[in-house]
Each structure stands twice: as structure tokens, then as C-alpha cells.
Amino acid sequence: MLAKRIIPCLDIKDGKVVKGVNFVGLKDVGDPIELAKEYDRQCADEVVFLDITATYENRDIIRDLIQRGANELSIPLCVGGGIRSVEDFRMILSSGADKVSVNSAAVKNPQLIKDASDEFGVQCVVLAVDAKARDDQSGWDVYVAGGRINTGLDLIEWVKKGEALGAGEILLTSMDADGTRDGFDIKMLKAVVEAVNIPVIASGGCGDKEDIAEVFEQTNCDAALAASLFHFGEATVDEVKDICAARHIPVRRNKQ
Amino acid sequence: MIAIIDYHVGNLGSVTNAFKRLGMDVAVTRDHDVIRQADGIILPGVGSFPVAMKHLEQYDLIDVLNEVKDKGTPIMGICLGMQILFETGYEFTTTQGLGFLSGTVELMQVNEKLPHMGWNQLIFNHQHPVLNHIEEEDYVYFVHSYAANCPDEELIAYCEYGGIKVPAIVGKDNVLGCQFHPEKSGEVGKMILKAFKEIVEQ
């Protein structure tokens, strides 16, 4: 049976790990590779590096980081932040990442999803979407630029379009839940999981171990992503998997 | 020495390092002489079936791969590298594969999401030394939408997904293939590569 995946996300700035609370107030928590290797040991199913400086002005730093990550990890690595072109995809994948997540640039130029999936395969194109409920609760709007700009795009229409263009996976962050630590946005996730036939990663709002078990029980999402829960040592991936296993959620365990 | 065939199909760092960590000499190469001298061959692959075959042709690798296959050098294909071991692929268009294994590679007909992405459990179909250090129901990492359609005698292990048996480890004689990525499959993946190393060293 396919296991539910638990994915620690490392927000990276200038080669170091940070974690934003509602995308502001950054706090340095160390070397990305050391942290990622620790998550690998804890039985994380995948690791995401999100370069929040997102300019790729200094490509050597990010290329070196991806190469080290790919060489030293025994699990898949997804890299996102500031990807604008097929060439950016190429640089990241040729450095050793398994997947690339693309957000704002795909909204600006949806053809990028198609071009990248035609060139490298759908399996490495992750469409990251930040969304927030509309005031009248009629649905959700898609935001870009780290959640600062409302694109006016409807979330459900956007993820369907993304799938049709060749996205292999959706990384869905609820702006409403992100930073609150009150649990994942179940309603939004359910709507997206129903709308598409590709894997969906839940993101935003994870505050404790139970939240991860809950999102798997209440939605058919494939993976749950969390940052601060793991970074500050409040929980290990193994501990989260203990809870999931006890609640009969299929998870991969470390070999004894 | 293990030759990892370099035919322009993505980054080979993780598979190279996985073997180095097992204490193997590794050459990432498309040099015919190095391939001929290798004790074992890894055929990696990411992308699509027709593009992979095109690159093998471009680098003039098909004859030399046949040569080492015929003389009994252990060969392991990984992911797309496994798929092109078969006779025919139907991704985008009909493409002739290497034909080291009998069967075809087709879009998976499943009542589940595609790609089949994530960690799934191996179920053993036939005994094989490649399974020596792992157990049934161990998890390995898959990411693919096309799968092999092969005779039972070539099916060493499979996983269940969307109502079908997905070939996970296939093989015949000195030829082996993994649909999943052992180099991305944690400790279990390492144990599969270790078993391949032992096959090579025999």
C-alpha cells in the first residue's frame, strides 16, 4: 500500500535554514544539509528546500547546496523558490534535485508548467499554490509573491489547469492556516483533492503531531509538509509516524 | 568497478554516491572500453522512453550494452533505465527498447492517481539474490506513470497500486531492473544496491 508521506520543509536564505511565521520574522536555525540528514535519519519521506530569497542571483550557492543534498540524502529532494524558466528547472534537476516546485512564475506564465513537464517529465513538476479563502467564503483565491498579491485566480480552476498542463503534484499552502499552528486547512484540502487526480501535499497550519494524523484521516491528501514542528525539535518525524501508525494510517517506518 | 552509464538522463550524483558508500569503485561513463571492463553496469534513467533510447543511440551505446549483456556482466536498470530493458515502449509513441527482457512498457491502467508517486511496499514473487537483505513489505520510492508488462518468470517483486500489480523488480539471467529508485529509498534501497554489489562481486 502506498504510504502517506511526511515532508519536512526547510526555508532557506543565503544558504541557511530559516522559518517564517506568516512569512515575516525570520529566525536562523542552521545548516540545511545537516538538518536534512537528521530528517532522513528520522524517516522523513522526502525533504523540501525552499529558497525564500528566491532570486538565484548567486546560483553557485544553491547549486552547491542541492548537490550536497542529493549526494548525502537517501530520500528524494524537492527544491523551490524563484524558479522562472525551463533553464532554472534544468539547473536544479541537473544539480541533483528530484523535483522542482514552481509558484508565482507558473501563474504569470502557465506554459512553463507544460514546457517543463514536456522536457523533464511530470514527476518533477510540483505546482506550489498559496491560497486564501475569499471574504464571502465562496471559495479560495490564489496568491503570489509570498502571499502578498491576490491574483484573483480561483484555486480550484487553477489547480485543474495546472494538472492539465502537466503538473505532477500540487503543494497546497493555506494562507489562512499558515503560521497559526492550529492544524491544516481541511476544507481547502478536501476541495483540491477532489478536483485533481494527482498527488496533493498539505501545507500550512501544522502545530503538533496530531495535526498530521488528522489531515490524513480527514482528507485524501498524499503527504503533509511541516517546518517549525520539526525544526525546533518539538517532534521528530518518527514520533509523528508512531501516532499515524497507531491510528492505522499507512506510513513507512525505519528498519529496526 | 561498476560503470554507471552516462547518457544524458539527469543527475547521477545520488546513485554514484550510494555505491561509493558501499565501498565500490564507480565510473560514470559512456566510454566503451570502460563499459567492457566493468564488473557491473548501472543503467539509470529519468525522462521519457523515446528520449532515453535516442540518447543511447546518439552515444553509440546500444551495441556495447548488448556485448556486455551477452558476456554475462550483471546489469541493473533503474526506473526509466529499467523500462528500456524491455522490447517496446508506448510512451508518446512506439519505441523499440533494448529487448534484454521480454515485455512492453505501457501507461498504467489504474483506478488511482498518476503518477504513482511515493513509498510503496514490495511483495516478492520469485526468490532472487537481489532480495537477500530486504524483507517483504519493505517500502521503496516510486515515481512513474508507465509500467512494465512482463511474463511472470521475469517478475521478481511487485507492489500493489490502484488495483494492479506493478512490476517493481524484474530480471532474467544477468539482467535486473528496479522500477523504483533504490538510491532514493533509504536503508532498504541501500540493501538492494548492496545485494547487487554482491551479485557483481561473485
Side-chain angles (χ1 to χ4, degrees):
Chain A
M1 188 187 276
L2 198 66
K4 297 293 183 182
R5 283 174 282 152
I6 296 174
I7 307 176
C9 175
L10 287 70
D11 292 338
I12 293 171
K13 186 184 180 203
D14 303 327
K16 290 283 189 184
V17 181
V18 288
K19 166 60 191 171
V21 177
N22 279 329
F23 298 99
V24 288
L26 306 176
K27 184 175 172 185
D28 192 334
V29 281
D31 175 35
I33 305 300
E34 285 313 307
L35 193 53
K37 281 165 71 177
E38 172 57 24
Y39 292 144
D40 188 349
R41 283 190 288 272
Q42 291 178 13
C43 208
D45 297 301
E46 199 169 315
V47 174
V48 174
F49 284 179
L50 197 59
D51 186 334
I52 55 173
T53 40
T55 57
Y56 292 85
E57 275 158 1
N58 195 340
R59 282 163 180 270
D60 292 343
I61 291 179
I62 190 74
R63 189 181 286 134
D64 173 64
L65 206 59
I66 299 167
Q67 269 169 3
R68 281 176 61 212
N71 288 348
E72 297 186 33
L73 296 174
S74 69
I75 53 175
L77 171 65
C78 175
V79 175
I83 284 91
R84 296 201 179 83
S85 63
V86 168
E87 283 318 302
D88 290 339
F89 268 83
R90 192 186 312 280
M91 184 274 284
I92 290 168
L93 293 170
S94 68
S95 301
D98 300 282
K99 303 177 185 180
V100 178
S101 94
V102 60
N103 189 332
S104 303
V107 171
K108 206 178 286 176
N109 172 25
Q111 182 67 22
L112 177 59
I113 302 171
K114 177 150 183 21
D115 292 345
S117 62
D118 283 351
E119 181 88 13
F120 309 109
V122 297
Q123 80 289 337
C124 64
V125 182
V126 180
L127 179 59
V129 183
D130 297 338
K132 192 176 190 317
R134 288 191 280 271
D135 288 340
D136 63 3
Q137 301 297 314
S138 62
W140 300 269
D141 285 337
V142 174
Y143 283 68
V144 291
R148 289 190 296 274
I149 299 168
N150 184 349
T151 64
L153 281 172
D154 177 71
L155 169 65
I156 301 304
E157 282 173 26
W158 175 233
V159 293
K160 282 184 170 171
K161 185 173 178 185
E163 178 184 25
L165 286 167
E169 195 166 33
I170 304 286
L171 168 52
L172 179 65
T173 302
S174 165
M175 306 287 307
D176 298 306
D178 199 57
T180 66
R181 313 202 65 182
D182 284 342
F184 291 95
D185 191 333
I186 301 291
K187 195 176 159 199
M188 182 192 284
L189 276 161
K190 275 188 167 166
V192 169
V193 166
E194 251 172 54
V196 296
N197 194 38
I198 50 178
V200 176
I201 305 169
S203 162
C206 181
D208 64 36
K209 297 175 256 188
E210 307 283 334
D211 289 337
I212 292 181
E214 209 145 288
V215 78
F216 290 138
E217 282 173 345
Q218 296 194 16
T219 78
N220 194 24
C221 71
D222 299 85
L225 180 136
S228 45
L229 177 69
F230 299 127
H231 294 342
F232 297 111
E234 293 161 35
T236 65
V237 179
D238 269 324
E239 287 167 359
V240 173
K241 289 190 169 183
D242 284 340
I243 291 175
C244 289
R247 287 161 76 159
H248 306 292
I249 297 160
V251 284
R252 178 180 71 105
R253 306 312 311 269
N254 262 331
K255 299 269 279 178
Q256 294 307 311
Chain B
M1 177 266 295
I2 289 192
I4 297 177
I5 306 295
D6 178 11
Y7 64 115
H8 208 75
V9 286
N11 181 280
L12 307 173
S14 49
V15 67
T16 307
N17 274 282
F19 279 108
K20 281 186 184 163
R21 277 194 291 264
L22 290 168
M24 293 293 285
D25 273 344
V26 184
V28 176
T29 187
R30 58 177 81 112
D31 183 300
H32 289 196
D33 289 330
V34 177
I35 294 169
R36 283 191 189 100
Q37 286 160 17
D39 305 303
I41 307 281
I42 292 288
L43 188 59
V46 172
S48 69
F49 197 112
V51 171
M53 287 309 296
K54 193 181 81 186
H55 284 142
L56 280 186
E57 269 167 42
Q58 260 170 8
Y59 294 123
D60 192 23
L61 290 164
I62 293 177
D63 287 346
V64 71
L65 286 173
N66 270 285
E67 190 184 316
V68 292
K69 179 242 170 197
D70 288 341
K71 76 172 183 189
T73 306
I75 299 175
M76 178 186 268
I78 294 175
C79 197
L80 183 63
M82 175 217 84
Q83 296 186 351
I84 60 173
L85 296 173
F86 287 93
E87 292 161 309
T88 315
Y90 292 99
E91 187 170 3
F92 304 138
T93 172
T94 304
T95 310
Q96 198 185 343
L98 289 167
F100 294 176
L101 297 172
S102 23
T104 57
V105 175
E106 295 165 35
L107 186 67
M108 292 165 69
Q109 302 296 323
V110 292
N111 55 16
E112 256 293 358
K113 302 174 190 185
L114 282 183
H116 171 220
M117 186 188 286
W119 298 78
N120 207 334
Q121 289 173 295
L122 293 173
I123 301 165
F124 297 170
N125 191 51
H126 288 303
Q127 284 195 335
H128 192 282
V130 77
L131 307 175
N132 276 354
H133 304 299
I134 61 169
E135 292 166 58
E136 206 157 30
E137 300 196 349
D138 277 346
Y139 280 100
V140 288
Y141 184 77
F142 290 86
V143 51
H144 64 118
S145 299
Y146 288 76
N149 183 358
C150 66
D152 181 79
E153 66 265 24
E154 288 179 356
L155 185 66
I156 296 168
Y158 61 91
C159 70
E160 287 174 344
Y161 186 68
I164 66 165
K165 288 182 182 179
V166 180
I169 306 178
V170 292
K172 188 169 71 181
D173 305 327
N174 54 319
V175 178
L176 270 172
C178 297
Q179 176 61 72
F180 55 90
H181 284 274
E183 77 282 15
K184 305 278 176 190
S185 293
E187 195 58 28
V188 173
K190 276 179 212 157
M191 289 300 111
I192 291 167
L193 296 179
K194 184 182 170 195
F196 181 69
K197 174 191 174 206
E198 289 167 1
I199 291 169
V200 168
E201 286 170 344
Q202 261 176 16

